[in-house]
Every structure is written in C-alpha cells, then in structure tokens.
Amino acid sequence: MAKDLKTLREDYKQMNKSCFILGASGETGKELLKEILQTQLYSKVTLIGRRELKFEDEAYKDVKQEVVDFEKLDEYSSAFQGHDVGFCCLGTTKAKSGEAGFIRVDHDYVLKSAQLAKAGGCQHFNLESSKGADKESSFLYLRVKGEVEAEVEEIEFDRLSIFRPAVLLVDREESRPLEWLTRKLMVPVSHLFPTSYSVPIPTLVKAMLHNAILGSDKKVDLLENKAIHTLGKVWETSS
Ligand SMILES: NC(=O)c1ccc[n+]([C@@H]2O[C@H](COP(=O)([O-])OP(=O)(O)OC[C@H]3O[C@@H](n4cnc5c(N)ncnc54)[C@H](OP(=O)(O)O)[C@@H]3O)[C@@H](O)[C@H]2O)c1
C-alpha cells in the first residue's frame, strides 16, 4: 500500500538531508526557505547568494549563508560542497539586466552552479525554469530557459527536477510594470482556467517539496504548471 504524505514526510526528515537554495532573496526563493524552515525537512539549510540576507525571526537562526561572486564561481566551489539537494530559483529579466545580463544569470550562473553542485556531491537538483521553455524557440527568454534545462540535464544528477511554472502570482516587492500588468490581466483568466496560465508562488514551493519527498524512479522529472498545481494543493491540504 502506498505510504501517506505524512509518513513520507517523516521518512524524508529522518534521512537528515542538507540542502542549498540559490536565489533565496527572490520571490520564489524566500517562500521556499520559509516553507522549508516551517516543515523542518532538512537538517541543514544553506543559502548561496551574492549578498548576505538579514533575518529577524528566530526560525532563521541556523540558516547558513555563503556569499559568492557569481562572475568567479570556480573560486567558490567549497560553497557548493556537501549538500544533498539543491534548489535553483535564480533569475533576472531582460528589462532589468539587458539581453547579455539575462543570459549571464539565467544561463551561465545557473549552469555553473549546477556543475559545482554536482561536483560537490549534490544528488537531487531542482531547477525553476518556465512554462514554454524550448531551446528551439525564437523568443530569447524561452530559448535560454530551454537551453539551460538541456545543459543541466547533461550534468547527469542522480535526480533532476525541472519546474515549468506559468506566470507567478505574487505581490512583488520590486517594481516590474509589465509583469504587474500581466498579473492583473491574469486575474479573470486564473478564475476561468486556474491551473493553466498562472500559479501562486506558495503553491509552487509546496510542489517542489512534495515532489522532493515523493522520490522518483526517473532521472529527470519535468513538472508542468498543472502538475505543480496538483502537487502543491495536495501538500497544502495535508499540512
Ligand atoms: N515571474 C514569473 O512570472 C515567472 C514565471 C515562470 C518562471 N519564472 C522564473 O522563475 C525564477 C524565479 O523567479 P522569481 O520571480 O522568484 O525571481 P526573483 O524574485 O526575480 O529573484 C531572483 C533571484 O535571483 C538573484 N539574482 C538576480 N540577478 C542576479 C545576479 N546578477 N547575480 C546573482 N544573483 C542574482 C536575485 O538576487 P538579488 O536579490 O541579490 O538580486 C534573487 O535571489 C526565474 O528564473 C524566472 O525566470 C518566473
């Protein structure tokens, strides 16, 4: 008989796994960190980022931080050593960083981090990509996402989980007018087709953790927006 979610969660905790998060200052990363600390799924949590983050809440007191220079990641290989599981929520936009800057972050930093993580012993790498990622796409954003997915796959982690969320529903701290407008337009669409074109960030991070504890006999799991909704909702109702 299949184990229930509570048992699976307890079994996973007993494994005393360690994890790292790339992009923990971002909207997905910070929600993921919050959920990981609430559920105490990992015995050690490390944030790898370009700046140290300040936390006031006691719950964050044991979180370790590694501040790295993403332009010289090879010099920071030790930051990537000894983590069982990695979550990559890094990303920027063309509007914010220009075309070259977007490729640098969403492709080069992600790929290099994944390579260092694998060399450091990471067994399960979780990559936040995007709905529509396609290395053949004529749209830069979708092409870069598709390319990096394919190249991270070539690293051959024991397990790679690729998440392809649609528009992230979030009240973003940073001002991004185009994204704000998309989210507003998305409100009626989300009511009509709740699992097709958008996903709330809390649902996404719950799906990431639910997927992690489920295990998989496949080396690569590809989770599209609908699957993200399903996994996230089940996790939510069982908590
Ligand atoms: N927005 C959407 O609707 C949507 C939909 C589908 C998929 N996605 C993808 O999901 C991922 C996460 O999105 P999000 O909205 O949660 O991200 P976000 O809030 O923009 O956060 C991005 C993270 O990446 C880091 N980062 C950005 N530029 C960097 C640089 N030059 N060097 C080092 N670190 C850098 C940020 O660190 P700092 O805080 O230091 O800047 C932050 O931790 C992205 O890959 C995005 O493309 C987004």
Side-chain angles (χ1 to χ4, degrees):
M1 200 177 86
K3 288 185 183 174
D4 65 23
L5 194 51
K6 210 168 155 221
T7 312
L8 282 172
R9 199 146 48 188
E10 281 312 311
D11 290 352
Y12 192 81
K13 272 192 203 176
Q14 295 303 320
M15 293 180 202
N16 280 323
K17 287 178 187 281
S18 55
C19 77
F20 70 82
I21 304 176
L22 285 154
S25 56
E27 297 296 344
T28 311
K30 68 182 170 201
E31 187 67 29
L32 177 65
L33 174 60
K34 195 168 90 187
E35 186 74 16
I36 283 176
L37 295 178
Q38 250 164 31
T39 52
Q40 300 180 334
L41 271 192
Y42 296 97
S43 58
K44 190 171 147 218
V45 181
T46 304
L47 313 182
I48 305 177
R50 60 173 162 177
R51 60 196 171 93
E52 188 168 338
L53 308 180
K54 301 269 175 271
F55 301 108
E56 312 224 313
D57 196 316
E58 266 287 292
Y60 292 76
K61 69 178 184 347
D62 294 326
V63 172
K64 202 168 169 252
Q65 298 202 44
E66 296 279 1
V67 176
V68 301
D69 179 347
F70 282 88
E71 285 297 319
K72 299 178 189 157
L73 267 184
D74 276 321
E75 294 175 19
Y76 295 86
S77 56
S78 62
F80 292 85
Q81 259 159 27
H83 312 287
D84 300 308
V85 180
F87 295 94
C88 180
C89 308
L90 273 184
T92 188
T93 60
K94 202 169 99 177
K96 192 173 166 187
S97 306
E99 185 170 321
F102 165 69
I103 296 171
R104 200 94 192 108
V105 176
D106 286 59
H107 177 274
D108 302 356
Y109 293 177
V110 170
L111 182 60
K112 189 76 214 172
S113 298
Q115 287 164 340
L116 291 173
K118 167 76 178 176
C122 174
Q123 292 135 28
H124 181 197
F125 193 78
N126 293 270
L127 174 63
E128 184 178 6
S129 178
S130 171
K131 178 182 167 87
D134 175 3
K135 63 182 183 212
E136 311 295 337
S137 176
S138 46
F139 293 103
L140 175 78
Y141 179 80
L142 298 177
R143 188 174 68 247
V144 169
K145 294 294 190 191
E147 283 169 353
V148 79
E149 282 184 359
E151 288 167 58
V152 171
E153 200 171 328
E154 280 169 18
I155 297 173
E156 298 209 351
F157 283 98
D158 291 355
R159 185 174 175 206
L160 169 66
S161 301
I162 298 172
F163 295 84
R164 287 185 174 169
V167 173
L168 301 177
L169 298 178
V170 59
D171 285 325
R172 191 174 288 282
E173 279 178 16
E174 177 196 331
S175 158
R176 286 188 191 168
L178 192 63
E179 199 184 294
W180 177 86
L181 184 65
T182 311
R183 271 200 313 276
K184 290 290 161 205
L185 295 174
M186 207 45 85
V187 172
V189 181
S190 301
H191 282 298
L192 285 175
F193 310 101
T195 61
S196 299
Y197 301 106
S198 63
V199 61
I201 286 187
T203 306
L204 169 61
V205 305
K206 288 176 171 75
M208 285 174 159
L209 298 180
H210 189 173
N211 177 63
I213 68 158
L214 278 182
S216 173
D217 46 16
K218 287 188 287 180
K219 269 182 94 79
V220 183
D221 326 304
L222 193 54
L223 294 114
E224 298 287 355
N225 202 55
K226 267 197 174 53
I228 292 171
H229 272 271
T230 307
L231 282 172
K233 284 278 150 48
V234 176
W235 182 271
E236 214 160 69
T237 49
S238 74
S239 302

